[in-house]
Amino acid sequence: MEVRLQKLIAGSGLASRRKAEQLIDAGRVTVNGKVVTELGTKVDPARDHVKVDGKHLSAAQPFVYLMLNKPKHVMSTLDDPGGRPTVKDFLRGVSVRVFPVGRLDFDSEGLMLLTNHGDLAQALLHPRYHVAKTYLIKVKGILTDEEIGQLEQGVKLEDGMTSPAQVKKISKAEQNSWLEITIREGRKHQVKRMLESVGHPVIRLTRVRMGSLSLGRLGSGEFRFLTDREANALRGLVEERVEAVERGEQLPRRPRRPVRREGWARPKKKKVAQR
Ligand code: URA
């Protein structure tokens, strides 16, 4: 059955649809030995030999994406000269070489994306594309609305003002509170430093979302491959941002809809066993 060339390349996992079009346009794709630059060209994968950069499409390494729920006290790198456990120790059975997209502190936990898709990783990390990362944090003390307002406006750190953050109250106890904070930058220890600057040191930090990805119910130390739908959504999000920046558009630094300031959730009532 015939399909459009860019669809075949994108379907192989080698590149997104847009990137496949660029590869064709740049003359990097051959069909039966001839360079093809026409985007609409139809090919039959059962009959035609398609090569990208001289490599047969079926021999090309497909992109692999997986998410790990990094436990505490694990390095977010692939190796550690100090001999501490790393994320690699948790990827048993993964034969493809994947790289962590960004860092989480040694004592932080949660969603880590690992992939062999270098361009996507770079774009997800570049502050220019404002990809959101959400952290569930437990902090010392209870933040006032004014302190939350400061975080939402941007706070002064030693390396400059932070961009506006989104903060959602989750729950509070006598000594501590739980919040969700979403930022679109990735400076070192950023969330901890932001909270420190308003007088509430972070006690526990878990990344729960990154772009369109959610950690969901993945257990600590477990990993799973992204579904096609998740991988496509992530690629779509990055492509959209990259294209917008290329068109010279200003990306929004805060959500389009204002966040409704909600109260703290009431502490959960303990269930009393019925006799
Ligand atoms: N911000 C931090 O302070 N630490 C992390 O691990 C991630 C974000």
Side-chain angles (χ1 to χ4, degrees):
M1 198 180 75
E2 290 199 326
V3 287
R4 286 158 79 89
L5 189 52
Q6 58 268 45
K7 189 165 179 217
L8 182 74
I9 297 170
S12 76
L14 181 75
S16 64
R17 183 74 73 93
R18 181 174 160 272
K19 186 87 196 206
E21 288 175 0
Q22 287 174 347
L23 290 169
I24 297 169
D25 208 38
R28 291 166 62 182
V29 179
T30 58
V31 179
N32 303 324
K34 284 203 188 108
V35 173
V36 171
T37 50
E38 182 114 3
L39 284 184
T41 305
K42 293 265 180 84
V43 287
D44 182 346
R47 186 195 62 208
D48 296 315
H49 296 280
V50 178
K51 287 185 178 176
V52 177
D53 290 336
K55 268 200 198 142
H56 200 276
L57 205 54
S58 58
Q61 178 85 271
F63 288 137
V64 171
Y65 311 88
L66 56 91
M67 73 159 85
L68 167 74
N69 184 349
K70 181 186 104 59
K72 262 184 179 180
H73 305 136
V74 169
M75 294 298 285
S76 59
T77 46
L78 291 178
D79 56 359
D80 178 49
R84 288 170 291 186
T86 71
V87 291
K88 201 169 159 190
D89 301 327
F90 294 84
L91 304 180
R92 266 163 237 118
V94 178
S95 52
V96 183
R97 207 166 149 70
V98 287
F99 299 89
V101 180
R103 297 276 167 99
L104 274 178
D105 295 338
F106 186 61
D107 59 353
S108 298
E109 36 193 328
L111 196 165
M112 286 223 56
L113 173 69
L114 294 108
T115 182
N116 57 355
H117 190 166
D119 289 350
L120 180 108
Q122 265 190 333
L124 280 171
L125 294 176
H126 201 296
R128 178 198 293 161
Y129 302 120
H130 301 185
V131 176
K133 280 153 280 201
T134 301
Y135 302 89
L136 176 65
I137 50 174
K138 177 182 177 184
V139 300
K140 211 162 168 199
I142 295 148
L143 273 85
T144 61
D145 281 353
E146 197 190 335
E147 288 162 342
I148 291 179
Q150 286 171 20
L151 294 170
E152 288 177 336
Q153 291 298 315
V155 287
K156 196 165 172 215
L157 303 179
E158 74 254 28
D159 49 359
M161 288 298 287
T162 59
S163 294
Q166 273 168 272
V167 181
K168 191 175 162 195
K169 293 171 180 169
I170 303 291
S171 62
K172 63 174 182 173
E174 255 166 49
Q175 310 277 334
N176 306 310
S177 46
W178 284 259
L179 305 137
E180 256 188 24
I181 180 162
T182 302
I183 58 170
R184 290 171 170 72
E185 305 168 283
R187 303 192 216 165
K188 211 166 181 201
H189 310 311
Q190 181 164 346
V191 174
K192 289 180 187 161
R193 290 193 290 137
M194 287 171 76
L195 271 294
E196 192 84 53
S197 80
V198 292
H200 296 277
V202 170
I203 300 168
R204 189 167 180 178
L205 183 151
T206 308
R207 181 153 61 206
V208 290
R209 282 190 291 282
M210 183 175 186
S212 50
L213 288 180
S214 284
L215 184 61
R217 291 174 177 273
L218 192 64
S220 179
E222 286 178 5
F223 79 88
R224 68 169 177 82
F225 289 92
L226 299 195
T227 62
D228 284 351
R229 182 185 270 233
E230 285 173 322
N232 286 336
L234 202 59
R235 279 145 63 136
L237 175 122
V238 166
E239 278 181 18
E240 217 175 73
R241 304 279 166 101
V242 170
E243 280 169 14
V245 168
E246 277 171 7
R247 286 195 300 270
E249 284 172 25
Q250 196 71 40
L251 293 173
R253 279 160 32 106
R254 51 170 91 229
R256 279 174 233 275
R257 267 184 294 127
V259 187
R260 200 158 58 89
R261 171 88 76 248
E262 285 162 359
W264 298 100
R266 286 169 196 222
K268 280 194 187 118
K269 277 197 190 135
K270 284 212 176 88
K271 276 193 189 147
V272 182
Q274 300 283 321
R275 282 171 190 264

Coordinates of all heavy atoms in Angstrom, one line a residue, residues 104-105 108 135 189-192 205, ligand 1:
L104 N 17.3 15.8 38.4 CA 16.6 16.0 39.6 C 17.7 15.8 40.7 O 18.6 15.0 40.6 CB 15.6 14.8 39.8 CG 14.2 15.0 39.2 CD1 13.3 13.8 39.5 CD2 13.4 16.2 39.8
D105 N 17.6 16.6 41.8 CA 18.6 16.5 42.8 C 18.6 15.1 43.4 O 17.6 14.3 43.3 CB 18.2 17.5 44.0 CG 18.3 18.9 43.5 OD1 19.0 19.2 42.5 OD2 17.7 19.8 44.2
S108 N 15.7 14.4 45.5 CA 14.4 14.7 44.9 C 14.0 13.4 44.2 O 14.8 12.5 43.9 CB 14.5 15.8 43.8 OG 14.9 17.0 44.4
Y135 N 6.0 20.3 40.3 CA 6.6 19.6 41.5 C 5.6 19.6 42.6 O 5.0 20.6 42.9 CB 7.9 20.3 42.0 CG 8.9 20.3 40.9 CD1 9.0 21.4 40.0 CD2 9.8 19.3 40.7 CE1 9.9 21.5 39.0 CE2 10.8 19.4 39.7 CZ 10.8 20.4 38.8 OH 11.7 20.5 37.8
H189 N 18.7 23.6 41.5 CA 17.9 23.7 42.8 C 16.9 24.8 42.8 O 16.7 25.4 43.9 CB 18.9 23.9 44.0 CG 20.1 23.0 44.0 ND1 20.0 21.7 43.9 CD2 21.4 23.3 44.2 CE1 21.2 21.1 44.0 NE2 22.1 22.1 44.1
Q190 N 16.3 25.1 41.7 CA 15.4 26.3 41.6 C 14.3 26.3 42.6 O 14.0 27.3 43.3 CB 14.9 26.4 40.2 CG 14.0 27.7 40.0 CD 13.8 28.1 38.6 OE1 14.5 27.6 37.7 NE2 12.8 29.0 38.5
V191 N 13.5 25.2 42.7 CA 12.4 25.2 43.5 C 12.8 25.3 45.0 O 12.2 26.1 45.7 CB 11.5 23.9 43.3 CG1 10.4 23.8 44.3 CG2 11.0 23.8 41.9
K192 N 13.8 24.6 45.4 CA 14.3 24.7 46.7 C 14.7 26.1 47.0 O 14.4 26.7 48.1 CB 15.5 23.8 47.0 CG 15.1 22.3 47.0 CD 16.3 21.4 47.2 CE 16.0 20.0 47.1 NZ 17.2 19.2 46.8
L205 N 10.5 16.8 47.7 CA 10.2 17.3 46.3 C 10.0 16.2 45.3 O 10.9 15.3 45.2 CB 11.3 18.3 45.9 CG 11.2 19.0 44.6 CD1 12.0 20.3 44.7 CD2 11.7 18.2 43.4
Ligands
URA1 N1 14.1 22.1 41.8 C1 14.9 21.7 42.8 O1 15.2 22.5 43.7 N2 15.4 20.5 42.8 C2 15.0 19.5 41.9 O2 15.4 18.4 42.0 C3 14.2 20.0 40.8 C4 13.7 21.3 40.8

